[in-house]
Amino acid sequence: MIRKEDLFQIGRFLKPHGVRGELTLLFDCDIPAQVKSPYLVCEMDGIPVPFFTESYRPKGNASVLVKIENVDNETAARRFAGLAVYYPLSALAGCDAKKKENWSQWKGYVIESHDSGEIGVITDVDESTINTLLHVDCQGKKLLIPAVDKWICSVDRTGQRLTMSLPDGLTDL
């Protein structure tokens, strides 16, 4: 059984492309081109379901056209439109993929400072404004840390740890 915590969201399916069942997959993370998974996972009726892929072909810098096995026409492809697409974490082992957006996937991760060690656990993400904020529980004290891609030093997906290089004094506020 596939568990949601064993997955990493890589993007979202857009509308079908053409009449042969291809879908546009828009990435919302930076994944090196050499990382491939034999299958993608989509949530169907609340359950993570694997779908094997027949082919990928580039469509610009941030998207690809994906052909899923047994999805052979536009009508069948439409049921995937708008769905989040995940890779299994095992396919990303050793890869340092970083999210460009959708910071909510980091909920439950421990934030560590590159300099001073463990800060706390991300309990919530506020994406309601242009400046996304990570709500961090630091020993009962609530911290708000701006979500900035450039501050991420490393990601440990199996240990659910996010190491960041934060500006001096940010955690003292």
Side-chain angles (χ1 to χ4, degrees):
M1 182 170 140
I2 298 173
R3 298 177 316 155
K4 185 109 179 198
E5 53 270 10
D6 294 332
L7 301 172
F8 179 77
Q9 185 175 345
I10 62 166
R12 182 167 298 283
F13 279 129
L14 301 180
K15 62 183 180 163
H17 179 83
V19 295
R20 295 191 177 152
E22 282 186 308
L23 288 149
T24 301
L25 170 56
L26 179 65
F27 290 107
D28 63 4
C29 62
D30 292 325
I31 295 180
Q34 72 272 16
V35 175
K36 295 280 192 261
S37 176
Y39 63 92
L40 301 170
V41 177
C42 293
E43 205 169 323
M44 306 294 263
D45 298 325
I47 300 169
V49 179
F51 293 95
F52 291 91
T53 55
E54 288 180 12
S55 66
Y56 281 79
R57 56 186 180 114
K59 181 184 177 190
N61 291 335
S63 63
V64 294
L65 294 176
V66 177
K67 176 71 173 76
I68 297 174
E69 282 185 6
N70 301 320
V71 176
D72 299 320
N73 59 54
E74 184 182 359
T75 304
R78 264 198 206 111
R79 75 176 211 210
F80 292 90
L83 292 181
V85 179
Y86 302 87
Y87 260 6
L89 286 175
S90 59
L92 298 171
C95 168
D96 198 21
K98 295 178 185 175
K99 294 301 273 184
K100 289 181 186 171
E101 49 192 72
N102 189 10
W103 285 86
S104 61
Q105 67 122 17
W106 301 123
K107 280 186 199 176
Y109 275 59
V110 173
I111 288 188
E112 293 179 338
S113 169
H114 181 63
D115 299 325
S116 58
E118 188 173 307
I119 296 171
V121 177
I122 300 172
T123 57
D124 199 12
V125 178
D126 180 359
E127 295 181 278
S128 64
T129 66
I130 194 163
N131 298 316
T132 301
L133 294 172
L134 304 175
H135 294 245
V136 179
D137 180 6
C138 178
Q139 300 173 351
K141 179 180 165 188
K142 186 176 181 179
L143 296 177
L144 296 176
I145 297 178
V148 179
D149 277 339
K150 293 178 184 178
W151 292 357
I152 298 176
C153 297
S154 65
V155 178
D156 174 7
R157 290 181 195 351
T158 54
Q160 292 196 328
R161 299 183 92 69
L162 189 63
T163 304
M164 298 180 80
S165 179
L166 300 173
D168 290 337
L170 182 68
T171 58
D172 298 331
L173 298 175

